[in-house]
Amino acid sequence: MLWSGWGDPGKAVTLPPAVLTLLEQALGVQPADGTPVPIAQVRLPESELDPAVATELAMFVGPPNLHTHHDARVKHAAGRSTADLLRLRSGDAPDAPDAVVLPGTHNEVVGVLGACARRHVAVVPFAGGTSVVGGLAARREGFGGLVTLDVRRLTGLVSLDTESLTATFRAGTLAVEAEELLGAKGFTLGHFPQSYEYARLGGFAATRSAGQASAGYGRFDEMVLALTVATPEGTLELGRGPASAAGPDLRQLVLGSEGAFGVITELTLRVHPAPQKSVYQGWRFGSFAEGATALRELAQRGPLPTVLRLSDEAETGVDAVLHGREAGGCLVIAGYDGVPGGTGVDALAAAGADALAAAGGACLDDAVGETWAEGRFDAPYLRDALLGAGAIAETCETATNWSNLVALKESVTAALVSSLSAQDTPPLVMCHVSHVYPTGASLYFTVVAKAADDPVAQWAVAKTAATDAIVAGGGTITHHHGVGAEHRPWLEREIGPLGVEVLRAVKARLDPAGILNPGVLVP
Amino acid sequence: MLWSGWGDPGKAVTLPPAVLTLLEQALGVQPADGTPVPIAQVRLPESELDPAVATELAMFVGPPNLHTHHDARVKHAAGRSTADLLRLRSGDAPDAPDAVVLPGTHNEVVGVLGACARRHVAVVPFAGGTSVVGGLAARREGFGGLVTLDVRRLTGLVSLDTESLTATFRAGTLAVEAEELLGAKGFTLGHFPQSYEYARLGGFAATRSAGQASAGYGRFDEMVLALTVATPEGTLELGRGPASAAGPDLRQLVLGSEGAFGVITELTLRVHPAPQKSVYQGWRFGSFAEGATALRELAQRGPLPTVLRLSDEAETGVDAVLHGREAGGCLVIAGYDGVPGGTGVDALAAAGADALAAAGGACLDDAVGETWAEGRFDAPYLRDALLGAGAIAETCETATNWSNLVALKESVTAALVSSLSAQDTPPLVMCHVSHVYPTGASLYFTVVAKAADDPVAQWAVAKTAATDAIVAGGGTITHHHGVGAEHRPWLEREIGPLGVEVLRAVKARLDPAGILNPGVLVP
């Protein structure tokens, strides 16, 4: 992962002249040289870790698995939000850990957490580092140092039950690696979020990730059958069998706990037969509301595609510019996986096409769907290019009931436009629906504007306005990005003051010293 | 509800001579006169409720809504487990409350809980009283009295969102009433557990109920989108939108909390278009294992019926005797709901029939499926007749992965047979699968034996053996009956000692005085 941006530096995007012109004309973005500082020039906080503690941690994991050098600290200093990247690019890494610890077993994780609790050292669990909501921005104050616990050595498929369709993985397994291991045996998880190429399974569970194929395969939290969690107070092993009435479902406290209650070290997941073939179709609807109605009908009555997305007019227009297509209307992408022994993919796609046509859609050229599928993990590269060109680009998201979807989209868009316009940087706000449920859907906003002098502060103001609008409009503060440090001020409005007290009580029991990701999740 | 047994006294069953003969020949059950004592002769514990507290509670709910008379206490004294009924029939009601409180609003519930916390009075939430695991058997010791909080005045449909397919109900609404209210508008919850005719919605949520149509409509915990909960420490309002990543899902702490954390007063549920027609088919498979394989294929690959059940050889044989049918093999019931605007019921049933036939099933006469559907809520009446005839009859249940299903069925059956045979009452043990998932299924055991001199102790020994076998065999201690007082000793083996500590921490935060259903759920 590029330390100052996204992914593979070899895949960096150069903005085409048409886009640069559009940025200048529509948003007033002036050509800029936004090259990041060299990594060696990044300013790190002075380490507060007692060398004796470092020695103790090295005993648990072995000296080669404790890193304190500059580059390791920079590479674990931040997630991948736009604010994170803007700070890194300018050479700031205020949240960098003093050391990176790489345990290789569950027991090593337990040992590290116990030692850190005794020594009052803050611990940031790290499972890919792709958070876009400050999930790694732990508070240092009051601790005797801060270390990152990277799970990347806890990898591999532990077992596969082909009759029950379950697989047990170590939690540091890369999503890509998990798909390779399963694919070799004819199975898939079906979990492909934007972070797919860099995220690790435990992170998906800790943040309630949702992938692009959630219509077909579900959210990640729905895939988790069992979990093993290391906490400073010992180990939790949760989940027996396919369903249970044995009291509250404690797995659901670990899912979404964002490293604040413990470190997930192993997880058992539902798997599916790998598709033999996938088909992606593009459709055009007259308006966002018409497209939303079509998606709702598929989500409630079927047939439900594996992937189902709707872009609003603005996003459809930009997509048309990027791909040299005719603009107009609202783009729907419907993807279908053909499963061995199930209905063939062509029959599935035909049934979906009938439903989309009946709902008023016009089928587009085959290339439209295929282009989406080919570029499905590329948006973060485009952001890096925009940041380098003097723009800011960031996203925010929510979910709500179908009956509230269009109204919430409008109020959040208005809040973003109003907030950024008031800063003399009127934005382009695009929106899409990428996750559908019988009762509602997600809304995902992408915002591009001219960067102000302090772009971090500029976006913080806009994000506050958007989140206030989400709460006021009845949406959830996050559908799949998680809480992190960024949404934490709004969590009480989501779950109420007594809900916050419940979280605090659970944290106090599992992490009495409060060392785990302090300042993230729990208000 | 009949105070000493199940349901409507007018529907009481008389055992046919063939069954009495079978009981005598197969199990040694001698004809007995097991008529319950008259209700007036039931022995109640002396009330420990301070009259001043009763007066205070009456202020919150109004004097007509505080009942302290003999019959009200008896009727709230126990759930509907066989042990509960055996005790009631013999005139014992050791767990009877001192008073029954009937709040009419959420705020009245909050007021009652606050007063009881201050006065250290134990509170048993009551939402139909159909628990079969001692869910109402709260501990009296150490409290200044014990009151039952019956939610039966908190009824009605608050709102219906026909676009999002959600309905908000007050939690004391009877399931039957909820179906009537929704049915009038063309919708259904699709939740039909054995307790359907007497249970209330809040109880389904508090116990993670699963209904007979769970294959089609899901478990009750999957239907719950939002909850309002009154606790001694205030109100929880949880659930925004169709899905969220806003931290741990605290609804999942309330689901399954069995009245130990608070009282659910309102809930928002997913609804479905009401079926226009339902079809039930009977199938015969050669063995339980063959039938289980067929169910697994439907659960994993589809088409999935709305109702899907498999009886083992013993249950199929008894069913044949009861209905005068030819015995042999293992009975499968497959039910299909035809949804307006969706695939027609006949097409669904035909697709299901193709799959069941391909899996080796033989289709039975139409009457077999229809007979099941007609008698689907009648089993508890049969139990009352068996208890009166000198037998004991009780059930226990679990769930496990498909790859473990047959082995677990065999080990639990062996434990039951061994335990009861050692008491000189060799049992008939029947088993069925009534809930299927992609990764596994439930196992439901029905046990009939000659009643020993102390039938409560007799069953307690057998139940201990069965639950030990379930835990040792990798099953969950309960798939849908809940924990109650009965499974509480095994909860630590399900969720581990640290899981128990998490439950205790949550309870301590929401119910610091420990007044809510003490002795139920939390070890």
Side-chain angles (χ1 to χ4, degrees):
Chain A
M1 172 78 86
L2 176 64
W3 71 272
S4 62
W6 186 258
D8 176 358
K11 291 191 187 168
V13 167
T14 307
L15 295 177
V19 173
L20 291 169
T21 305
L22 189 69
L23 286 172
E24 184 163 1
Q25 289 177 350
L27 303 176
V29 177
Q30 299 297 323
D33 174 19
T35 308
V37 302
I39 188 168
Q41 289 178 20
V42 174
R43 298 170 292 280
L44 295 173
E46 196 161 341
S47 174
E48 291 169 330
L49 192 66
D50 183 335
V53 176
T55 304
E56 188 179 346
L57 296 179
M59 275 174 48
F60 282 109
V61 297
N65 296 309
L66 181 81
H67 300 169
T68 55
H69 57 82
H70 180 89
D71 282 15
R73 295 180 65 196
V74 172
K75 288 179 178 174
H76 291 82
R80 301 291 102 170
S81 74
T82 292
D84 287 332
L85 301 189
L86 288 166
R87 278 188 287 256
L88 287 173
R89 295 167 72 99
S90 68
D92 282 332
D95 299 324
D98 300 327
V100 179
V101 191
L102 304 170
T105 66
H106 172 84
N107 286 343
E108 288 182 14
V109 178
V110 172
V112 167
L113 294 182
C116 288
R118 285 191 301 277
R119 303 294 204 138
H120 211 60
V121 172
V123 179
V124 180
F126 189 101
T130 63
S131 170
V132 291
V133 291
L136 307 168
R139 182 169 53 81
R140 305 178 68 92
E141 295 76 41
F143 293 94
L146 182 150
V147 301
T148 291
L149 190 161
D150 189 328
V151 294
R152 72 174 191 244
R153 289 180 61 227
L154 290 167
T155 60
L157 176 62
V158 178
S159 63
L160 174 66
D161 180 341
T162 58
E163 186 174 348
S164 308
L165 298 184
T166 67
T168 301
F169 284 98
R170 291 195 183 85
T173 309
L174 276 169
V176 174
E177 188 187 352
E179 284 297 331
E180 283 169 5
L181 289 164
L182 290 175
K185 305 191 180 208
F187 297 94
T188 182
L189 287 174
H191 188 68
F192 306 107
Q194 187 77 75
S195 60
Y196 170 68
E197 296 173 306
Y198 293 91
R200 297 174 189 273
L201 300 181
F204 291 152
T207 59
R208 295 187 176 273
S209 173
Q212 293 165 353
S214 70
Y217 297 104
R219 298 165 57 85
F220 199 80
D221 49 18
E222 297 173 311
M223 301 177 189
V224 177
L225 296 159
L227 288 160
T228 303
V229 189
T231 83
E233 294 291 290
T235 295
L236 282 170
E237 290 188 89
L238 300 169
R240 285 173 79 90
S244 175
D249 185 352
L250 298 182
R251 295 174 305 181
Q252 303 288 338
L253 278 182
V254 176
L255 297 166
S257 62
E258 302 187 12
F261 294 169
V263 177
I264 299 166
T265 58
E266 199 168 288
L267 59 182
T268 299
L269 303 169
R270 182 180 169 195
V271 300
H272 302 259
Q276 289 170 320
K277 182 183 166 194
S278 300
V279 167
Y280 298 93
Q281 296 179 339
W283 292 76
R284 191 186 306 286
F285 283 80
S287 69
F288 182 79
E290 282 174 37
T293 299
L295 266 58
R296 174 169 67 80
E297 287 175 1
L298 267 63
Q300 293 180 343
R301 294 213 300 248
L304 192 58
T306 310
V307 170
L308 189 57
R309 305 167 65 89
L310 163 67
S311 294
D312 72 353
E313 290 85 349
E315 189 171 285
T316 302
V318 169
D319 195 62
V321 171
L322 287 173
H323 296 106
R325 280 202 296 266
E326 192 187 343
C330 288
L331 178 66
V332 164
I333 298 291
Y336 304 87
D337 278 0
V339 175
T343 310
V345 66
D346 296 322
L348 288 172
D354 286 348
L356 287 165
C363 191
L364 302 174
D365 188 88
D366 281 357
V368 175
E370 284 155 24
T371 300
W372 175 82
E374 281 161 20
R376 61 196 291 186
F377 302 123
D378 292 349
Y381 292 105
L382 190 58
R383 176 177 58 170
D384 284 348
L386 288 164
L387 298 184
I392 61 161
E394 184 53 304
T395 63
C396 58
E397 39 87 66
T398 181
T400 193
N401 286 356
W402 287 113
S403 59
N404 190 42
L405 195 72
V406 172
L408 185 62
K409 171 189 186 294
E410 285 171 4
S411 65
V412 176
T413 301
L416 286 163
V417 169
S418 165
S419 165
L420 286 161
S421 297
Q423 299 181 66
D424 290 325
T425 55
L428 171 69
V429 179
M430 301 168 275
C431 181
H432 66 242
V433 173
S434 45
H435 305 272
V436 300
Y437 305 89
T439 60
S442 67
L443 288 169
Y444 196 92
F445 300 89
T446 303
V447 185
V448 182
K450 176 177 137 182
D453 291 343
D454 182 349
V456 172
Q458 173 195 18
W459 174 250
V461 169
K463 175 69 189 242
T464 294
T467 310
D468 284 343
I470 284 169
V471 172
T476 177
I477 57 171
T478 170
H479 167 267
H480 64 274
H481 280 173
V483 177
E486 194 167 307
H487 292 134
R488 195 173 71 126
W490 285 271
L491 187 60
E492 183 171 321
R493 290 168 75 183
E494 178 95 11
I495 62 174
L498 191 54
V500 169
E501 289 301 322
V502 171
L503 289 187
R504 286 181 179 145
V506 172
K507 181 163 174 84
R509 185 63 193 81
L510 296 176
D511 176 25
I515 57 162
L516 277 164
N517 236 1
V520 168
L521 179 66
V522 185
Chain B
M1 172 79 86
L2 175 66
W3 70 272
S4 63
W6 186 258
D8 176 356
K11 290 191 188 169
V13 167
T14 306
L15 295 178
V19 172
L20 290 170
T21 304
L22 189 69
L23 285 172
E24 185 162 0
Q25 289 177 351
L27 302 176
V29 176
Q30 300 296 323
D33 174 19
T35 308
V37 304
I39 189 169
Q41 290 178 20
V42 174
R43 297 170 293 280
L44 294 175
E46 195 160 343
S47 174
E48 290 170 331
L49 192 65
D50 183 335
V53 176
T55 304
E56 188 179 346
L57 296 179
M59 275 174 47
F60 281 110
V61 296
N65 297 310
L66 181 81
H67 299 168
T68 55
H69 58 80
H70 180 88
D71 282 15
R73 294 180 65 196
V74 173
K75 287 178 178 175
H76 291 81
R80 300 291 104 169
S81 74
T82 292
D84 288 333
L85 301 189
L86 288 167
R87 277 188 287 257
L88 287 173
R89 294 168 73 98
S90 68
D92 281 332
D95 299 324
D98 301 329
V100 179
V101 192
L102 304 170
T105 66
H106 172 85
N107 286 343
E108 288 182 14
V109 178
V110 172
V112 167
L113 294 182
C116 288
R118 285 191 302 277
R119 302 294 204 140
H120 211 61
V121 172
V123 179
V124 180
F126 189 101
T130 63
S131 171
V132 291
V133 291
L136 308 167
R139 182 169 54 80
R140 306 179 67 93
E141 295 75 41
F143 293 94
L146 181 149
V147 301
T148 291
L149 190 160
D150 189 329
V151 294
R152 71 173 191 246
R153 290 180 62 228
L154 289 167
T155 60
L157 176 62
V158 178
S159 62
L160 174 67
D161 180 340
T162 58
E163 187 174 348
S164 309
L165 297 183
T166 68
T168 300
F169 285 98
R170 291 193 184 86
T173 309
L174 277 169
V176 174
E177 188 185 352
E179 284 297 332
E180 283 169 5
L181 289 164
L182 289 176
K185 305 191 180 209
F187 296 94
T188 181
L189 287 174
H191 187 69
F192 306 107
Q194 188 75 75
S195 61
Y196 170 67
E197 296 174 307
Y198 293 90
R200 297 174 189 274
L201 299 182
F204 291 152
T207 60
R208 296 186 176 271
S209 174
Q212 295 165 352
S214 69
Y217 297 104
R219 298 166 57 85
F220 199 80
D221 48 19
E222 297 173 311
M223 301 177 189
V224 176
L225 297 159
L227 288 159
T228 304
V229 189
T231 84
E233 294 291 290
T235 295
L236 283 170
E237 290 189 89
L238 301 169
R240 285 172 79 89
S244 175
D249 184 352
L250 298 182
R251 294 174 306 180
Q252 303 287 338
L253 279 182
V254 176
L255 297 166
S257 63
E258 302 187 10
F261 294 168
V263 176
I264 299 166
T265 58
E266 199 168 288
L267 58 181
T268 300
L269 303 170
R270 181 180 169 195
V271 299
H272 301 259
Q276 289 170 320
K277 182 183 166 194
S278 299
V279 167
Y280 298 94
Q281 297 179 340
W283 292 76
R284 191 185 306 284
F285 282 80
S287 68
F288 182 80
E290 282 175 37
T293 299
L295 265 58
R296 175 170 66 81
E297 287 176 1
L298 267 64
Q300 292 179 344
R301 293 213 299 250
L304 192 59
T306 311
V307 170
L308 189 58
R309 305 168 65 88
L310 162 68
S311 294
D312 72 353
E313 290 84 349
E315 189 171 285
T316 302
V318 169
D319 196 61
V321 171
L322 287 172
H323 296 105
R325 280 202 296 265
E326 193 186 342
C330 289
L331 178 66
V332 164
I333 299 291
Y336 304 87
D337 278 0
V339 175
T343 309
V345 66
D346 296 322
L348 288 172
D354 285 348
L356 287 165
C363 191
L364 302 174
D365 188 87
D366 281 357
V368 175
E370 284 155 24
T371 301
W372 175 81
E374 282 161 19
R376 61 196 291 186
F377 303 123
D378 292 348
Y381 292 106
L382 190 59
R383 176 178 58 170
D384 284 348
L386 288 165
L387 298 184
I392 59 162
E394 184 53 303
T395 63
C396 59
E397 39 88 65
T398 180
T400 193
N401 285 356
W402 287 113
S403 59
N404 190 42
L405 195 72
V406 172
L408 185 61
K409 171 190 186 293
E410 285 171 4
S411 65
V412 176
T413 301
L416 287 163
V417 169
S418 165
S419 166
L420 286 161
S421 298
Q423 299 182 67
D424 291 326
T425 54
L428 173 68
V429 179
M430 300 168 276
C431 182
H432 66 241
V433 173
S434 46
H435 304 272
V436 300
Y437 305 89
T439 60
S442 67
L443 289 169
Y444 196 92
F445 300 89
T446 303
V447 184
V448 182
K450 176 177 137 183
D453 291 342
D454 182 348
V456 172
Q458 174 195 16
W459 174 250
V461 170
K463 175 69 189 242
T464 295
T467 310
D468 284 343
I470 284 169
V471 172
T476 176
I477 57 171
T478 170
H479 167 267
H480 64 273
H481 280 173
V483 177
E486 194 167 307
H487 292 134
R488 195 174 71 128
W490 284 271
L491 186 59
E492 183 172 320
R493 290 169 73 183
E494 179 95 10
I495 62 174
L498 191 54
V500 169
E501 289 302 321
V502 171
L503 289 186
R504 286 181 179 145
V506 172
K507 180 161 174 86
R509 186 63 193 82
L510 296 175
D511 176 27
I515 57 162
L516 277 163
N517 236 2
V520 168
L521 179 65
V522 185

